[in-house]
Amino acid sequence: MNVQTPVKADETLMANAIRALTMDAVQAANSGHPGAPMGLADVATVLFNRFIRIDPSRPDWPDRDRFVMSAGHGSMLVYAIHHLLGYTDMDAAQLRNFRQMGARTAGHPEYGHAAGIETTTGPLGQGISTAVGMALAERMMQARFGDDLVDHYTYVLAGDGCLMEGISHEAIDLAGHLGLSRLIVFWDDNRITIDGPTDLSTSMNQKQRFEAAGWHVQAVDGHAPEAIAAAIAAARADDRPSMIACRTVIGKGAPNMGGSHKVHGAPLGAEEIAATRAALDWPHAPFVIPDGVRNAWEDVAKRGAKTRKDWQARKEHSPKAAEFDAAMAPPNAEALHAAITAYKAQLSADAPKVATRKASEMALEVVNATLPNSVGGSADLTGSNNTRSSAMRPVTAQDFSGDYIHYGIREHTMAAAMNGIALHGGFRTYGGTFLAFADYCRPAMRLSALMGVPVTYVMTHDSIGLGEDGPTHQPVETIASLRAMPNMNVIRPADAVETAEAWEMAATSDTTPTVLCLSRQGLPTLRRNHSAENMTARGAYVLRGGGARDVTLIATGSEVEIAMEAADLLEADGIKAAVVSAPCFEAFAAQSPDYRAAVRGSAPRVGVEAAIRQGWELFLERGDGFVGMTGFGASAPAEELYRHFNITAEAIAASARRQIEKRTKA
């Protein structure tokens, strides 16, 4: 079980090793932030030496404790500890090349760049919020598999900046509400920001703030090992999430710069480093660690390895071992494809006219029935996002065995927590809000893409088609901005069949997050002829008129129906119009050049989307037509809005005729 380790090593020397490696690496790079690692060295040493359970030889061991450096600019704390623990990918050469091209020691901790880094941090507030998701996933897994298989903590080091960022309020509120007792946050209370003392910009009583959110709160001297250890032990014994305010000196050990904002984000310099070595009684050359100190740190790793082996033995004898392994494994893509294919055949036969947000709910009945570790949620829009399938039960502080999370009006933390749930392992997660509120989620969505975490964002009310709520809720520019994000699949399905295919893509993605852009208004089923192939995974395909064509109409989502009507108008005039449905630009860009050319065709083209044109160069040449938005929307019934903004079959047909005429004259 997860218990405290008796103290045997000299923790002052262990902490000074962190300080020395930090100042040497930052000096070698002539860049970095030595202040936080040097100030937090004592807290980190006590935490790792007495409490944390990790195994550097198996950094992905499922029941390890999670450690999150939310104040990501203090990355050298992480790298120094990993070097001292003996991570095989963190030798001295990596420290000497801190912040250099090709090194694992990036300026901020980057998930996937080095073993043992649980999440990418740097944008302040993201770490603590992602950790809420990790701690929630731990409780949910524990409810399913018991203490024998799931018994770990999530520890977070957060700075003043993390707690000033607005997302931190959302995160601590949610964690307190859910009673995430395995979450322990250390606040680096050094009272320094880049500009100077924190009282330049804040007077917040952080301890009272956390208490008001339902947390267990303590305050300690961040340089007193016994007080730190006692606080951690008390935090672990409490049934609430815990915050330990650690009063520290930024740059602790530097005799002239310690305690000043000057040590926050700049090298100490050769003269101050020499003075620091003298003050710490650390006579060793740069990057040299004496054997006794290294052995003390390696003992932490050895204890972790033993704990991991004990856990492995318990798992091997557990009746839930197979179920646990299945939860931690990638989703069963073959089973989901079979289920979705059968469901698509029924949709093509029934041809329902439903909003794609409703089609998403229908598809989720299939997805959630097939993937037992699927976890959903919404930012207080469950009935509008249609994210809760019929068998789902809510997750509560009294019962973590559910599979639906009520995130409240906390879009930003919802997105960050989903990252944490996915990074923790054991679940496939999705969450919903309105597409216009993607901007409230964006920093966490960007980290989803950067880390390659395959969460799914269910974003409804995707255009002016939402109607009367008006331009504040009509995301005319949002789709383009999301398509601009690398490693993000943005899918705007045209009907229930494409929506089912979109869910198959999202639920089986391995390293790419997905945004589903879903309509409020009802849309007819356009795919009446069943195909086992997932055509949405092609990104775009010819829906109508695949032979010789006079013009190609390319549309997404709710506008594919209008493009089909325009094709009817053109056909009445003897003009052959192909209609291309383009639900996912990113997937289309990944197709072969020959396929892309065949879909686009050589005839004139008209793009159609109730959004701005930006990003359509994948399909359109500069002179091609586009029917869409050029500004913000308005408040009115959806049908009136489409007419007002001239996104109609008649307008598309007229644009097509102009393009044909231009080509003829040329």
Side-chain angles (χ1 to χ4, degrees):
M1 303 295 285
N2 207 317
V3 296
Q4 181 177 357
T5 299
V7 181
K8 297 180 181 178
D10 186 332
E11 290 177 334
T12 298
L13 288 176
M14 294 174 72
N16 285 344
I18 295 173
R19 294 185 173 103
L21 290 173
T22 293
M23 65 184 184
D24 291 341
V26 173
Q27 185 69 18
N30 194 31
S31 172
H33 298 76
M38 296 177 72
L40 283 168
D42 297 309
V43 173
T45 297
V46 172
L47 174 63
F48 275 79
N49 189 46
R50 305 196 199 187
F51 295 95
I52 243 179
R53 295 294 178 265
I54 56 173
D55 180 4
S57 70
R58 284 285 303 275
D60 60 348
W61 161 40
D63 201 36
R64 68 193 181 278
D65 289 335
R66 270 66 171 177
F67 175 71
V68 175
M69 186 68 186
S70 188
H73 54 274
S75 59
M76 263 310 304
L77 178 76
V78 179
Y79 304 143
I81 290 173
H82 284 199
H83 173 71
L84 293 165
L85 289 173
Y87 278 82
T88 57
D89 67 344
M90 196 56 66
D91 58 18
Q94 292 295 329
L95 305 187
R96 293 177 188 275
N97 285 284
F98 177 52
R99 289 182 161 232
Q100 305 307 301
M101 179 65 73
R104 297 185 181 91
T105 45
H108 296 85
E110 300 279 355
Y111 173 75
H113 284 214
I117 295 175
E118 301 288 358
T119 183
T120 295
T121 57
L124 295 177
Q126 291 293 326
I128 185 174
S129 308
T130 303
V132 168
M134 294 177 179
L136 176 55
E138 188 275 341
R139 290 289 82 191
M140 293 173 67
M141 288 288 282
Q142 191 278 336
R144 288 156 175 76
F145 299 105
D147 287 341
D148 276 355
L149 296 184
V150 184
D151 178 32
H152 57 266
Y153 288 83
T154 300
Y155 297 103
V156 182
L157 294 188
D160 292 296
C162 292
L163 301 190
M164 286 191 212
E165 290 286 359
I167 189 175
S168 73
H169 175 78
E170 297 182 16
I172 68 171
D173 188 8
L174 181 61
H177 173 72
L178 289 173
L180 300 181
S181 59
R182 292 307 185 91
L183 175 63
I184 299 177
V185 173
F186 301 88
W187 169 36
D188 183 17
D189 181 18
N190 61 34
R191 303 182 188 177
I192 293 292
T193 63
I194 291 175
D195 283 353
T198 52
D199 62 15
L200 288 172
S201 57
T202 182
S203 302
M204 176 67 70
N205 187 318
Q206 294 290 359
K207 296 188 289 293
Q208 290 182 1
R209 178 184 175 218
F210 277 79
E211 286 172 347
W215 287 55
H216 173 236
V217 176
Q218 303 171 83
V220 300
D221 179 347
H223 304 299
E226 295 308 320
I228 296 167
I232 297 172
R236 286 160 49 112
D238 202 276
D239 61 1
R240 296 166 291 177
S242 287
M243 188 273 264
I244 304 174
C246 303
R247 183 72 178 97
T248 63
V249 176
I250 191 170
K252 172 74 172 176
N256 302 304
M257 297 175 66
S260 165
H261 71 281
K262 295 178 182 178
V263 78
H264 169 84
L268 299 184
E271 186 175 327
E272 183 72 358
I273 286 177
T276 304
R277 277 189 153 76
L280 296 177
D281 192 20
W282 189 267
H284 315 290
F287 302 104
V288 172
I289 303 297
D291 289 344
V293 176
R294 187 175 294 279
N295 291 341
W297 276 103
E298 289 178 350
D299 283 346
V300 174
K302 291 176 183 176
R303 290 194 296 269
K306 181 182 183 306
T307 304
R308 191 263 304 167
K309 291 174 183 175
D310 291 344
W311 175 86
Q312 191 71 41
R314 292 197 304 274
K315 187 174 83 72
E316 288 174 1
H317 293 92
S318 171
K320 295 185 176 182
E323 185 184 352
F324 182 90
D325 288 341
M328 298 301 296
N332 189 332
E334 183 176 342
L336 185 60
H337 178 69
I340 290 290
T341 300
Y343 173 61
K344 282 165 47 182
Q346 189 63 50
L347 287 174
S348 293
D350 294 344
K353 181 176 182 178
V354 293
T356 51
R357 62 169 176 163
K358 179 62 178 178
S360 172
E361 180 183 53
M362 294 158 58
L364 277 171
E365 293 289 346
V366 179
V367 172
N368 291 341
T370 307
L371 304 181
N373 63 342
S374 180
V375 172
S378 171
D380 198 51
L381 289 168
T382 296
S384 293
N385 299 148
N386 299 97
T387 39
R388 182 174 174 178
S389 57
S390 59
M392 298 185 99
R393 296 185 299 107
V395 174
T396 69
Q398 294 74 39
D399 183 4
F400 287 101
S401 66
D403 50 10
Y404 192 81
I405 303 165
H406 290 282
Y407 287 103
I409 305 93
R410 305 184 186 98
E411 295 89 354
H412 199 174
T413 278
M414 177 182 72
M418 286 198 295
N419 285 342
I421 293 169
L423 290 164
H424 178 278
F427 300 104
R428 297 287 297 196
T429 187
Y430 66 87
T433 187
F434 288 171
L435 182 57
F437 302 152
D439 287 340
Y440 282 6
C441 307
R442 188 175 298 273
M445 295 177 73
R446 185 172 184 270
L447 289 186
S448 302
L450 181 62
M451 292 188 286
V453 178
V455 301
T456 301
Y457 298 96
V458 182
M459 296 194 162
T460 67
H461 298 59
D462 70 338
S463 71
I464 60 171
L466 71 89
E468 291 87 345
D469 276 343
T472 58
H473 286 51
Q474 293 167 3
V476 296
E477 83 290 0
T478 309
I479 298 173
S481 69
L482 292 172
R483 286 174 180 153
M485 193 178 292
N487 193 41
M488 179 73 79
N489 283 336
V490 181
I491 309 178
R492 190 167 184 248
D495 66 1
V497 176
E498 284 191 358
T499 304
E501 292 178 337
W503 263 113
E504 182 183 1
M505 290 173 64
T508 57
S509 176
D510 52 2
T511 58
T512 301
T514 302
V515 182
L516 302 180
C517 304
L518 305 172
S519 76
R520 178 178 183 268
Q521 71 271 35
L523 304 177
T525 298
L526 302 174
R527 291 264 297 277
R528 300 293 185 90
N529 296 318
H530 173 61
S531 168
E533 181 182 358
N534 188 323
M535 298 304 295
T536 299
R538 291 273 195 169
Y541 59 95
V542 178
L543 180 64
R544 167 177 172 163
R549 62 183 89 161
D550 299 315
V551 67
T552 301
L553 311 179
I554 307 170
T556 78
S558 47
E559 287 71 67
V560 177
E561 173 193 7
I562 306 174
M564 293 284 276
E565 294 171 3
D568 289 338
L569 295 177
L570 293 167
E571 185 177 11
D573 289 342
I575 298 172
K576 297 178 181 177
V579 177
V580 170
S581 179
C584 183
F585 286 23
E586 297 78 18
F588 184 68
Q591 302 302 310
S592 70
D594 287 347
Y595 178 81
R596 295 199 305 270
V599 170
R600 292 175 77 241
S602 57
R605 305 173 195 91
V606 177
V608 188
E609 189 169 58
I612 63 172
R613 178 169 174 157
Q614 185 174 336
W616 271 81
E617 65 274 3
L618 181 66
F619 291 97
L620 304 178
E621 303 298 330
R622 185 180 297 274
D624 284 336
F626 182 77
V627 174
M629 299 293 292
T630 57
F632 291 111
S635 178
E639 297 82 359
E640 292 183 30
L641 289 170
Y642 273 88
R643 289 194 298 271
H644 175 78
F645 290 107
N646 208 28
I647 305 175
T648 63
E650 291 77 11
I652 297 168
S655 180
R657 293 186 183 98
R658 288 193 297 271
Q659 292 301 313
I660 294 169
E661 185 179 354
K662 277 191 345 184
R663 181 73 65 90
T664 302
K665 289 181 178 178

